[in-house]
Amino acid sequence: MEGGGRPSASQAVLLAASTAITALLYSVYRQKARVARGLEGARKVRLDGDLRAVLLEAPGRCVPYAVIEGVVRSVKETLSSQFVESCKGVVQRLTLQEHKMVWNRTTHLWNDYEKIIHQRTNTTPFDLVPAEGSAGVTVRVMKPLEAAELSLETVYEKFHPSVQSFTDVIGHYISGERPKGIQETEQMLKVGTALTGVGELVLDNATIKLQPPKQGMPYYLSSLDFESLLQKQESSVRFWKILTVVSGFATCAVLFFLLRKQYRHHRERQHLRQMQEEFRQAQERLMSTDGGEILKNACVVCLSSTKSCVFLECGHVCSCQECYQALPKPKKCPICRQGITRVVPLYNS
């Protein structure tokens, strides 16, 4: 604490940072909780003959947030895997990722570093159809790449290690970067995959569409069933809630520490003012009774008892025996602050 009981700059920064972190974690927690509540309250509909009737009765022929489960079926030509034969899908993502080691000058360790150097995603229109395969109602999935969770299956993955000469190795150690290789990955949303879609369900002329919701809620196209998807979101809510509570306790601890310091400083100032008032009252009492003669012979510490000690080697006579015993060690003369090596009692006749 600085003079006047105010927190120091470092303590103020610590409290501000702790408060900001707690506020940020609480904001994330509230957002996650809102998503979980919205997902729990989403309307569950089935891919059957009643779906069109449900949409016709809904305001604006729209269910703002609906859950629907079905199987992926391509509308036009399917996408073929570049590496796996007879692998067909409706979403294809090709990724080239660079792997290398980077020297950390602070920790003096080599750390793994990954960087996507190229990625291409191909899509083709697709529907969700009933799992039984009956020719019933279909739902057209719109803008699948905007989904917060799009379940793609990795169908091909290969790592191409980098070939290095001795000169390259020396150069890498000097530059602080050591390439490991290139990883090639292909991911697909395959035809026939069971998918859980959560989003806005609308009837557009004769086509039923599943698209990103307009209320800011997330859009899901997940291979998990709805119960598993909901449990995943609730686990995320609990995780962020625990982080928020821990950070809140840390902030309260910092605040309590600062308030306790300020309270102790306030008590010390009160005690000092009380001592000063008692000293002033003692002076007034001595001056009003026997005048300056008594004040002259009074102990300079308590101002009530008579001087009865001679301090050596300085020779000052300024304290009574009780106040001498109360002096902190190493004992020093209250007048000149010289160390006291010996005390001679003074007797007044």
Side-chain angles (χ1 to χ4, degrees), residues 124-138:
T124 187
F126 66 96
D127 293 337
L128 290 181
V129 300
E132 297 79 10
S134 59
V137 177
T138 62

Side-chain angles (χ1 to χ4, degrees), residues 71 140 225 265 315:
V71 175
R140 180 69 48 84
D225 60 80
H265 179 80

Side-chain angles (χ1 to χ4, degrees), residues 64 81 101 106 119 132 144 176 207-208 254 279 290 307 320-321 337 344:
S81 170
M101 305 288 288
T106 303
Q119 187 175 78
E132 297 79 10
T207 305
I208 302 176
V254 173
F279 180 77
D290 297 328
K307 301 173 184 178
C320 63
Q321 183 65 25
R337 307 305 298 165
V344 177

Side-chain angles (χ1 to χ4, degrees), residues 166-238:
F166 179 75
T167 306
D168 294 333
V169 173
I170 298 298
H172 296 154
Y173 273 95
I174 295 175
S175 64
E177 294 186 1
R178 189 170 61 190
K180 295 173 62 177
I182 302 295
Q183 183 172 348
E184 190 175 13
T185 307
E186 182 181 28
Q187 297 173 297
M188 296 191 73
L189 178 59
K190 296 194 293 186
V191 173
T193 301
L195 209 62
T196 300
V198 184
E200 185 181 67
L201 204 61
V202 297
L203 178 61
D204 186 7
N205 295 327
T207 305
I208 302 176
K209 297 180 179 180
L210 179 68
Q211 59 191 19
K214 296 183 176 64
Q215 305 93 338
M217 297 296 292
Y219 182 36
Y220 293 101
L221 294 173
S222 175
S223 58
L224 299 174
D225 60 80
F226 177 70
E227 295 301 326
S228 300
L229 185 62
L230 182 59
Q231 289 178 4
K232 180 180 178 181
Q233 296 303 318
E234 291 175 344
S235 298
S236 177
V237 171
R238 287 193 295 270

